[in-house]
Amino acid sequence: MTAYRTGSRFLLAALGSSLLAACANIGEAPKAAATAPPETTLADSFEPLGQAGLDRLQQNTMQKVCSEYEGKPVPDDLAKQIIAEAAAGVRYPADGNYFGDWKNGEKIAKTGTGLQSNDDPALPNGGNCYACHQMAAEELAYGTLGLSLAQYGKLRGQSEPILQYTWTRLWNAHAYNPCSHMPRFGDAGILSEPQLKDVMAYLFDPASPVNLPAPAPAP
Ligand code: HEC
């Protein structure tokens, strides 16, 4: 919208009689944009579309702090507050069972759709884990913003603390790292409890491709 307004001002000025007027108008626009608060510029730049409403621009405390300290250390008291709030909000499986179906977990890990304006809100969201993590050795396409999760269950076992740690990470990674870049799958309602259980099974089940050895290199 800001760019559009600048453009239309320019158009009006260009249609006017003097070139000087056009120059004055072009000169004014960036000054106005530079003094507008960032929230106004953001709100002016987006329009609600489908399920992507402008409420998504409202930052919670964690997001405000992490935006303010992007690339800098977060002060201790704020970091502790974010971690405590994230940890307090985690909901563990009601039936005490962490595991669902790893095959469905694999689909969730490989699915990158959901929550965008052009996605069908009636369909379940994906977890898009491969965008940031290596997981099964057989899958060649993955991002590296997150660490490799290959052999995750095999390397860590299935003790209660490990299961709880992993569930908490999936629910809200800010319980461990105040300004984590990992999506808050449980906390933000991206994945449902059964979906989170499926992803847990994908990470831990000995039969899951995540825990199978890497295929031998081609001769
Ligand atoms: C946008 C990138 C991104 C996506 C998408 C993402 N993660 Fe992460 N994940 C990270 C980062 C970065 C870390 C490192 C720790 C941190 O900063 O929180 C991490 C850490 C983890 C850890 C902790 C690993 C350890 O060794 O302790 C697990 C488990 C994990 N992610 C699982 C998943 C799963 C499962 C999914 C999909 C449902 C997923 N992640 C999606 C970025 C991502």
Side-chain angles (χ1 to χ4, degrees):
M1 283 275 277
T2 306
Y4 168 77
R5 272 195 215 126
T6 309
S8 61
R9 250 186 240 163
F10 171 66
L11 189 67
L12 284 175
L15 290 170
S17 55
S18 93
L19 184 62
L20 196 66
C23 290
N25 273 286
I26 294 168
E28 259 168 36
K31 232 199 267 166
T35 50
E39 306 83 62
T40 313
T41 311
L42 262 179
D44 277 358
S45 307
F46 290 96
E47 284 180 7
L49 189 59
Q51 59 182 323
L54 289 188
D55 54 313
R56 291 190 183 176
L57 297 176
Q58 303 293 327
Q59 292 191 314
N60 65 19
T61 309
M62 175 275 289
Q63 290 165 325
K64 276 188 197 138
V65 170
C66 294
S67 295
E68 190 179 340
Y69 291 95
E70 176 72 45
K72 292 174 276 182
V74 178
D76 256 11
D77 54 332
L78 290 175
K80 280 191 187 134
Q81 188 191 331
I82 291 172
I83 287 175
E85 278 174 16
V90 179
R91 282 210 314 274
Y92 295 95
D95 61 1
N97 172 22
Y98 288 103
F99 296 135
D101 169 5
W102 71 256
K103 288 186 180 149
N104 197 42
E106 178 172 46
K107 281 191 206 132
I108 294 166
K110 290 184 174 181
T111 300
T113 47
L115 294 172
Q116 298 190 39
S117 56
N118 55 349
D119 291 326
D120 180 353
L123 295 176
N125 299 322
N128 210 13
C129 315
Y130 277 94
C132 295
H133 293 286
Q134 178 179 37
M135 299 180 91
E138 66 188 9
E139 176 57 65
L140 300 179
Y142 56 84
T144 54
L145 183 65
L147 63 177
S148 170
L149 302 175
Q151 311 272 299
Y152 190 83
K154 195 169 178 191
L155 293 173
R156 298 191 177 220
Q158 295 190 11
S159 66
E160 183 63 22
I162 284 292
L163 297 182
Q164 231 185 62
Y165 161 77
T166 309
W167 182 271
T168 305
R169 271 256 172 223
L170 294 179
W171 190 275
N172 189 349
H174 299 266
Y176 290 104
N177 176 3
C179 294
S180 172
H181 287 127
M182 179 155 145
R184 293 169 291 136
F185 291 106
D187 184 66
I190 301 166
L191 298 179
S192 65
E193 186 180 294
Q195 282 184 306
L196 287 170
K197 288 185 177 188
D198 293 344
V199 171
M200 286 286 285
Y202 184 52
L203 287 171
F204 284 100
D205 196 305
S208 155
V210 169
N211 296 313
L212 298 182

